[in-house]
Amino acid sequence: MKNKEIARIFNEIAEFLEIKGDNPFRIRAYRKAAQNIESLTEDLSVLIAEGRLTNVPGIGKDLAEKITEYVNSGKMQSYEDLKKDVPRGILEIMSVPGVGPKTARMLYDALGIDSIEKLEEAAKFHKLQKLPKIREKTEANILKGIEFIKRSRGRIPLGMAWPVAYKIVNSLKKQDIVKCIDTAGSLRRYKDTIGDIDILVVSSEPEKVMDIFVSLPLVGDVLAEGETKSSIRTRNGIQVDLRVVEEKSYGAALAYFTGSKAHNIRIREMAARKGLKISEYGIFNSMGKWISGREESDVYQAVGLPWIPPELREDTGEIEASQSGHLPELVELTDIKGDLHDHSNWSDGENTIEEMADAAKKRGYKYLAITDHSRALGVARGLDEKRLREQIETIRKLNGRCRDIVILCGTEANIGMNGLLDLPPELLKELDIVVASVHSGFKQDRTGMTERVIKCMRSGLIHVLGHPTGRLLGERDEYEIDMGEVLKVAKETNTAIEVNAYPFRLDLTDYNCKRAKEIGVRMAVSTDSHFTEQLDYMSLGVSVARRGWLEKNDIINTYSLEKLKQWLKRE
DNA sequence: GCCGTTTTCGGCCCGACTGTTTTCAGTCG
């Protein structure tokens, strides 16, 4: 599957073209195409074979030819030419905040700077100040930017950003002058990683709000401070943008700052065709008169659409779906009836089975599966046959005593290199639920890994495939696996695919969820909790499911206990 | 480079803040 590679190449081409000062709309076309390819649920080579490539929005005759060329030959001539034309180092310089294509080009032309190291060196020796349009401040900002890059490892996992956002929102909420406050941006869209935190406020005294914001204790650097917009960087390196608007603009501003950019552009284009203008200040008619914008739904109403949930706003089909009245009824946290992947202190969890069950009960669940690690995972004190049998006995006794919640006996069995599980089949068949996951041999090649997982699913012994791509955000990439094939076999064998809600996993990913739904695969949203508080990760898992367009019925742990049991018995 | 319910050519979302300038280009979202 070359989708990702091609998306990366298109993004890189866009950067090269920016440096060359090419037509901005052409650049946008490449970026848009890259984005659409990334969220594509089908393999580009399939689209080529079926002649459907230009059906993909943003891909016309030219880009279709380039994609075909790359898929067939492994090369794209125009990209190779650009690489020869523009030194790669300039791209690196552009990654420094505040340095865009123009500055990067100038730095290269004037001083031959083609790496961050050289840029840092030149800035430290004040060589940049000799250049036009660069004086002390710009030079200092470049150094700060470099410092930031060195410290940060790119985007932050959603689960890490939330507590920071929560803290800031709560501090500001206490102020009388803050009338309304919400998070926006990728955080509100619940993207699995976020670039920065966006916060929107209504206040009649914006300057005061800004003052309070930039002097919060967690502020490290103030990047910008204006009358309506300020940016800070927290001590631990997360950028936070705050915007203050009037009450009558709140809806329009919320829509605008929630994004995504691509989604907004589509909405604004639609508005323009109706002779309207949409900005963060509201909806305006052709005379420039303010019409509406108090509520977020005003924006959608202006273009004749129903309100679209933030999780869907990626311009990946949600606008078309809403036009035709086919927006999904997204699953809600309250639809979840239980958690199907949880650990206890029998393996590497911290709490007893009983504590976990109580915590689940508190969250209103009807059932909780205890799926401790199995034998092969020695580091996690995986249970062998004997201990698992003891655990089953323990759980049966607990279930006898407690009537409010049912504990399901399970395991997170280990899928070996050969696709076999590490517990005997007859024991696995006794369990209520078997989750099976890969925990080792991540470097296996694509064919091997795909066969390994498929073989396991075909064994008829597992109900759920756990954290299917094995990624750990910021640490480990997804392992090589043919997800299309895996999903097909999941459908055939009626195996559910897990959406693991652990903040650093969020695996299966949103776009693969969408793909799974299209194929008709059932999903399980589970937290993989290792102590009771982690049960709350469920909301993150649900957000991934929502971003993947999943509805209640796609997810087995929205089922009642009876229905779930039937499903688990494959009746 | 894409796209089309006025169009196969001429459009392509809209605005804030900074730093360097004396009116704006560059960058960012």
Side-chain angles (χ1 to χ4, degrees):
Chain A
M1 179 120 155
K2 292 188 168 158
N3 293 19
K4 275 198 169 164
E5 275 169 57
I6 292 172
R8 185 188 53 77
I9 289 173
F10 280 177
N11 273 322
E12 220 168 277
I13 289 178
E15 291 197 309
F16 280 133
L17 293 175
E18 253 183 340
I19 290 162
K20 288 174 71 109
D22 209 301
N23 175 1
F25 298 107
R26 187 173 174 226
I27 294 166
R28 199 172 98 184
Y30 273 100
R31 291 231 161 88
K32 183 68 204 140
Q35 203 199 5
N36 287 341
I37 290 169
E38 256 171 37
S39 59
L40 215 55
T41 54
E42 286 179 284
D43 195 329
L44 282 172
S45 56
V46 174
L47 294 182
I48 292 172
E50 296 176 5
R52 292 189 286 128
L53 208 46
T54 49
N55 290 359
V56 177
I59 295 182
K61 189 168 157 286
D62 273 45
L63 292 185
E65 272 174 20
K66 291 191 163 82
I67 293 168
T68 310
E69 180 195 353
Y70 188 80
V71 168
N72 290 339
S73 71
K75 257 195 167 187
M76 197 184 297
Q77 198 50 48
S78 58
Y79 171 59
E80 299 299 323
D81 292 344
L82 278 170
K83 278 204 286 194
K84 273 182 224 145
D85 216 22
V86 184
R88 191 175 199 82
I90 299 193
L91 256 50
E92 191 182 314
I93 308 177
M94 265 175 72
S95 67
V96 176
V99 178
K102 298 281 193 276
T103 314
R105 176 91 242 180
M106 182 183 67
L107 290 168
Y108 179 75
D109 287 343
L111 300 172
I113 292 173
D114 60 1
S115 71
I116 290 181
E117 286 70 33
K118 285 188 192 168
L119 180 60
E120 187 174 17
E121 172 99 357
K124 277 188 176 155
F125 288 100
H126 305 301
K127 287 185 183 161
L128 304 185
Q129 290 195 39
K130 296 186 178 69
L131 300 170
K133 296 252 185 187
I134 296 184
R135 293 291 172 267
E136 277 168 62
K137 282 195 171 173
T138 307
E139 198 175 61
N141 282 341
I142 286 175
L143 280 172
K144 270 190 183 175
I146 292 173
E147 186 64 22
F148 170 68
I149 289 184
K150 284 184 174 169
R151 257 190 303 141
S152 76
R153 271 162 285 143
R155 296 176 67 88
I156 318 141
L158 177 66
M160 272 177 73
W162 258 118
V164 178
Y166 187 77
K167 212 168 168 179
I168 296 174
V169 166
N170 271 349
S171 310
L172 294 176
K173 224 182 218 168
K174 284 186 206 143
Q175 309 293 331
D176 294 339
I177 51 172
V178 170
K179 282 204 189 111
C180 267
I181 182 162
D182 266 302
T183 55
S186 46
L187 195 69
R188 182 163 179 246
R189 301 201 312 281
Y190 291 90
K191 223 167 135 53
D192 49 13
T193 61
I194 65 140
D196 58 21
I197 295 173
D198 294 295
I199 298 175
L200 184 67
V201 161
V202 170
S203 174
S204 47
E205 297 181 72
E207 298 89 351
K208 274 195 190 167
V209 178
M210 292 305 171
D211 283 346
I212 295 167
F213 173 61
V214 299
S215 44
L216 287 173
L218 50 68
V219 173
D221 269 322
V222 179
L223 304 174
E225 187 181 3
E227 284 174 26
T228 63
K229 184 185 169 189
S230 295
S231 297
I232 60 108
R233 193 134 55 211
T234 64
R235 288 176 199 283
N236 49 12
I238 302 177
Q239 185 174 329
V240 187
D241 295 343
L242 182 80
R243 189 70 184 251
V244 182
V245 296
E246 286 179 56
E247 207 160 1
K248 65 185 259 196
S249 302
Y250 194 60
L254 190 57
Y256 171 58
F257 291 111
T258 298
S260 66
K261 193 173 178 171
H263 176 89
N264 284 347
I265 288 175
R266 287 289 305 278
I267 299 291
R268 287 180 178 196
E269 278 169 355
M270 289 171 75
R273 278 198 290 277
K274 288 175 183 279
L276 300 170
K277 188 186 77 169
I278 296 178
S279 75
E280 58 262 56
Y281 296 109
I283 296 104
F284 300 86
N285 68 13
S286 52
M287 309 298 288
K289 187 175 178 297
W290 182 91
I291 305 172
S292 63
R294 234 171 258 281
E295 305 291 330
E296 200 177 39
S297 54
D298 293 348
V299 171
Y300 292 95
Q301 202 183 7
V303 294
L305 295 180
W307 180 83
I308 298 175
E311 293 94 328
L312 299 183
R313 299 182 196 170
E314 300 291 347
D315 190 22
T316 50
E318 75 281 6
I319 291 170
E320 290 73 12
S322 71
Q323 277 169 331
S324 62
H326 290 98
L327 274 180
E329 264 190 57
L330 299 181
V331 61
E332 311 258 356
L333 183 58
T334 49
D335 292 328
I336 301 293
K337 301 268 183 356
D339 201 329
L340 297 178
H341 181 168
D342 301 276
H343 298 271
S344 74
N345 61 359
W346 283 63
S347 64
D348 60 348
E350 282 180 25
N351 293 95
T352 63
I353 296 171
E354 209 168 358
E355 286 164 350
M356 291 298 287
D358 282 343
K361 198 162 67 183
K362 266 192 201 134
R363 285 158 178 79
Y365 290 162
K366 302 292 179 211
Y367 46 85
L368 174 82
I370 294 295
T371 54
D372 274 313
H373 290 289
S374 55
R375 192 182 52 79
L377 222 61
V379 283
R381 297 180 58 236
L383 276 62
D384 59 14
E385 196 176 339
K386 179 165 169 284
R387 286 185 67 222
L388 183 53
R389 286 194 187 283
E390 284 170 29
Q391 189 183 50
I392 294 172
E393 276 311 303
T394 307
I395 289 175
R396 285 201 178 129
K397 278 180 198 156
L398 282 170
N399 276 334
R401 263 184 260 150
C402 167
R403 288 159 198 278
D404 297 338
I405 187 161
V406 169
I407 307 169
L408 300 172
C409 295
T411 180
E412 181 183 10
N414 191 53
I415 306 176
M417 288 294 283
N418 49 10
L420 296 175
L421 298 174
D422 58 338
L423 287 167
E426 58 279 11
L427 177 54
L428 291 170
K429 282 179 190 161
E430 271 181 52
L431 295 166
D432 298 316
I433 182 166
V434 176
V435 178
S437 322
V438 169
H439 290 107
S440 58
F442 302 118
K443 295 266 185 275
Q444 201 168 15
D445 67 27
R446 186 179 168 90
T447 315
M449 184 62 91
T450 308
E451 279 172 6
R452 171 181 180 186
V453 168
I454 283 176
K455 182 174 173 190
C456 176
M457 285 195 287
R458 289 206 199 281
S459 72
L461 295 169
I462 79 164
H463 299 103
V464 181
L465 177 66
H467 43 74
T469 78
R471 74 162 178 183
L472 286 175
L473 288 170
E475 263 184 60
R476 187 172 74 210
D477 279 337
E478 304 179 358
Y479 41 65
E480 290 284 328
I481 191 164
D482 185 341
M483 194 47 71
E485 204 53 38
V486 168
L487 294 176
K488 230 163 68 188
V489 176
K491 168 74 181 162
E492 266 171 47
T493 57
N494 206 15
T495 306
I497 303 288
E498 179 177 271
V499 177
N500 189 300
Y502 194 74
F504 290 91
R505 291 192 182 274
L506 301 181
D507 172 22
L508 204 57
T509 51
D510 46 16
Y511 59 90
N512 276 323
C513 282
K514 198 173 173 198
R515 212 165 153 195
K517 183 185 169 80
E518 283 165 11
I519 295 174
V521 175
R522 288 283 171 271
M523 312 290 289
V525 183
S526 307
T527 62
D528 202 348
S529 287
H530 285 71
F531 50 91
T532 54
E533 287 83 358
Q534 290 187 334
L535 289 169
D536 291 328
Y537 289 153
M538 187 58 82
S539 60
L540 292 177
V542 169
S543 70
V544 174
R546 288 170 64 87
R547 286 181 56 81
W549 294 51
L550 298 191
E551 300 175 282
K552 189 176 167 182
N553 284 335
D554 299 317
I555 297 168
I556 60 171
N557 51 321
T558 65
Y559 294 174
S560 66
L561 179 64
E562 293 67 34
K563 190 173 171 189
L564 176 71
K565 278 187 164 170
Q566 260 179 19
W567 187 87
L568 290 170
K569 285 182 194 150
R570 304 179 196 280
E571 282 169 358

